[in-house]
Amino acid sequence: MTKTFPTSGTEWQALDAKMTEMSCTDIDWRRGRAPLYVFHGSDGAYEVGFQAFMKYFSENALGGRRAFFGLKRMEDEVVEMGLDLFQAPEGAVGNMTTGGSESIFMAVKACRDWARSQPRLKPPYNIVAPFTVHAAFNKAGDVMDIEVKRLATGENRRADVAAMAAAMDEGTIMLAGSAPCFPHGVIDPIGALSDLALARNVWLHVDACVGGYVAPFFQRIGRDIPAFDMALPGVRSLSADLHKFGFCPKPASTLFYRQKDDRERGLFHFDQWPNGQFSTATLSGTRAGGAVAAAWAVMNHLGEAGYMDIARQLAAMTDAYVAGIKAIDGLHLWAEPDLTIINFGAYDLDIFNAAEGMERRGWLPGLTRNPKGMQAMLSMYHEAGREDYLADLAASVQEAQEQGGGSDLKAVY
Ligand SMILES: *Cc1c(COP(=O)(O)O)cnc(C)c1O
């Protein structure tokens, strides 16, 4: 039976109850049972983000320049705070987007338009990257007819810069690296990529979508985090999501360009329609005003001290997860995490069998296919359930050992 358009209306109370019922079999993410999709920093950041979002619930960030001047100012300040955090040089610019995929899309578009002004770069264009970069590069490539050459990684599952140099040709317009990559949580050697990009005069995009707003604070609390930001002269654009480890409500990401000209290339201008000049820095037209206001409010609420405080808690929690996983016989970390993304597997059992065991125990298992593993992006949702997770994981691994054989589980996102 398919749902038909309702003939009459329903009061909120009944709808509220119905919605709760519709979601009653959801993964129990508030208790840390989803390893991705949702992120928690502190109760204060959640509350401030919620209130600020609701305060600007109806406003449209598309109208920031003509109607919602407060929102425009907030967006400008979010960008300026980001430029400061990522050590951007004088003259660097940026804008908010609705997510990491859109930030990456706009960076690729700006790069493509720059490449068209460079006769030495010959279409069909391509991007050279480790195969660990996010699928969003291929989404952009698909739309813009740009191939993404995905290469095997080198040491510690980080980008193999020599292999990337060798894979470049006259169609290569962009190098990409992650800080860190989604699958393994390690930061690519961005310093070496920066040198390569400058030597070959191509664009380097750093995808700091997941880790951008946590890595600088891990640095500040004394963790050994390699350089990855705009202090490196070859980094021409950088994406960082506020709605992940910036602990801001969705949909909110930031995109930064080293040069003003590049942002100009990222813009879309059009005037051949009845309404005259139309310009956007995003693929989206209408954008949630609430997301802009909430990002501004959360960043100001936490400040450097607040983000450092969360970073300390995240680091301690991740260490405890890592120690717990290493203590389970048969499990191996596929990489030592730079931040809070963990990825582990096993040599003598099918780890997906253990993942199925976790599923039976009410956890959504994060999966990687190559190497076969389990993965989690740990935020403060995952502190309370840590001991349960590790106990259930140990039991699931033991079951998988006894069971033997292979699993039919598919890694799907
Ligand atoms: C999440 C993520 C993206 C895409 O971001 P969305 O907000 O989901 O569009 C891109 N790159 C990395 C490394 C990510 O983790």
Side-chain angles (χ1 to χ4, degrees):
M1 183 66 186
T2 48
K3 168 108 172 142
T4 54
F5 202 85
T7 47
S8 59
T10 305
E11 290 307 317
W12 166 244
Q13 215 173 6
L15 296 172
D16 188 21
K18 179 74 187 160
M19 288 158 84
T20 301
E21 183 203 319
M22 286 169 104
S23 299
C24 71
T25 61
D26 283 9
I27 295 290
D28 194 359
W29 54 271
R30 288 182 187 82
R31 291 202 304 133
R33 286 169 181 248
L36 75 171
Y37 304 132
V38 285
F39 302 85
H40 190 69
S42 70
D43 292 347
Y46 175 90
E47 185 58 24
V48 165
F50 183 83
Q51 295 298 343
F53 197 106
M54 290 305 151
K55 189 173 165 79
Y56 287 86
F57 180 74
S58 298
E59 282 86 339
N60 183 345
L62 174 64
R65 265 173 320 200
R66 300 191 58 230
F68 311 114
F69 309 118
L71 274 185
K72 169 75 168 73
R73 171 124 190 248
M74 289 177 232
E75 177 164 355
D76 287 348
E77 290 192 10
V78 165
V79 168
E80 283 159 22
M81 287 188 272
L83 289 168
D84 181 33
L85 186 66
F86 298 119
Q87 307 186 77
E90 200 60 39
V93 292
N95 56 266
M96 288 186 71
T97 72
T98 58
S101 300
E102 193 178 42
S103 291
I104 289 168
F105 191 97
M106 300 321 294
V108 172
K109 182 228 183 272
C111 172
R112 193 267 321 257
D113 287 10
W114 164 76
R116 284 174 172 169
S117 72
Q118 305 282 308
R120 70 194 164 85
L121 298 172
K122 305 264 190 297
Y125 296 140
N126 65 73
I127 295 168
V128 171
F131 87 121
T132 49
V133 295
H134 196 272
F137 286 94
N138 283 71
K139 192 184 269 189
D142 233 47
V143 176
M144 289 179 266
D145 264 329
I146 298 168
E147 182 195 356
V148 183
K149 294 192 190 180
R150 289 177 172 265
L151 309 182
T153 45
E155 215 182 321
N156 301 327
R157 305 191 189 278
R158 297 172 206 269
D160 180 342
V161 180
M164 287 173 70
M168 293 172 72
D169 59 28
E170 62 182 13
T172 303
I173 60 174
M174 176 185 271
L175 299 172
S178 310
C181 67
F182 183 93
H184 315 305
V186 295
I187 298 176
D188 286 323
I190 306 296
L193 287 176
S194 164
D195 293 344
L196 178 60
L198 290 175
R200 305 283 284 270
N201 191 14
V202 296
W203 192 296
L204 171 60
H205 180 79
V206 172
D207 179 11
C209 279
V210 66
Y213 284 98
V214 72
F217 305 106
F218 266 52
Q219 264 164 355
R220 284 165 176 68
I221 63 166
R223 291 267 166 155
D224 190 17
I225 303 295
F228 71 94
D229 67 12
M230 297 183 100
L232 296 167
V235 177
R236 196 147 162 182
S237 57
L238 182 147
S239 50
D241 290 352
L242 288 158
H243 63 202
K244 289 178 181 160
F245 287 93
F247 307 115
C248 299
K250 295 175 255 299
S253 174
T254 44
L255 171 61
F256 304 101
Y257 298 99
R258 173 170 296 273
Q259 307 160 25
K260 196 155 179 284
D261 290 355
D262 286 342
R263 186 178 120 104
E264 198 52 44
R265 294 177 173 112
L267 296 178
F268 173 75
H269 296 298
F270 184 73
D271 63 4
Q272 301 300 304
W273 72 325
N275 286 67
Q277 181 70 40
F278 180 93
S279 300
T280 53
T282 52
L283 208 50
S284 318
T286 290
R287 285 184 295 132
V292 172
W296 182 89
V298 170
M299 290 166 98
N300 279 296
H301 168 71
L302 288 175
E304 188 180 41
Y307 278 109
M308 280 172 68
D309 196 38
I310 295 171
R312 272 186 213 99
Q313 297 174 49
L314 287 170
M317 177 182 63
T318 306
D319 289 349
Y321 268 95
V322 164
I325 287 160
K326 284 181 174 169
I328 296 173
D329 222 21
L331 292 185
H332 298 272
L333 277 189
W334 290 147
E336 286 292 330
D338 278 328
L339 298 168
T340 72
I341 298 177
I342 52 171
N343 179 213
F344 55 92
Y347 295 110
D348 58 2
L349 59 95
D350 187 338
I351 190 71
F352 283 11
N353 279 329
E356 288 187 72
M358 291 301 276
E359 218 164 46
R360 283 193 296 276
R361 291 170 169 84
W363 303 88
L364 172 67
L367 301 173
T368 55
R369 205 173 56 176
N370 183 4
K372 227 173 171 182
M374 287 181 65
Q375 181 224 32
M377 310 168 91
L378 301 170
S379 79
M380 292 320 293
Y381 279 132
H382 300 101
E383 177 56 19
R386 174 164 51 84
E387 284 177 11
D388 289 346
Y389 178 91
L390 291 170
D392 284 349
L393 184 60
S396 301
V397 165
Q398 199 183 351
E399 251 171 39
Q401 268 157 349
E402 286 158 9
Q403 174 191 354
S407 160
D408 295 328
L409 205 60
K410 293 264 183 306
V412 176
Y413 281 87

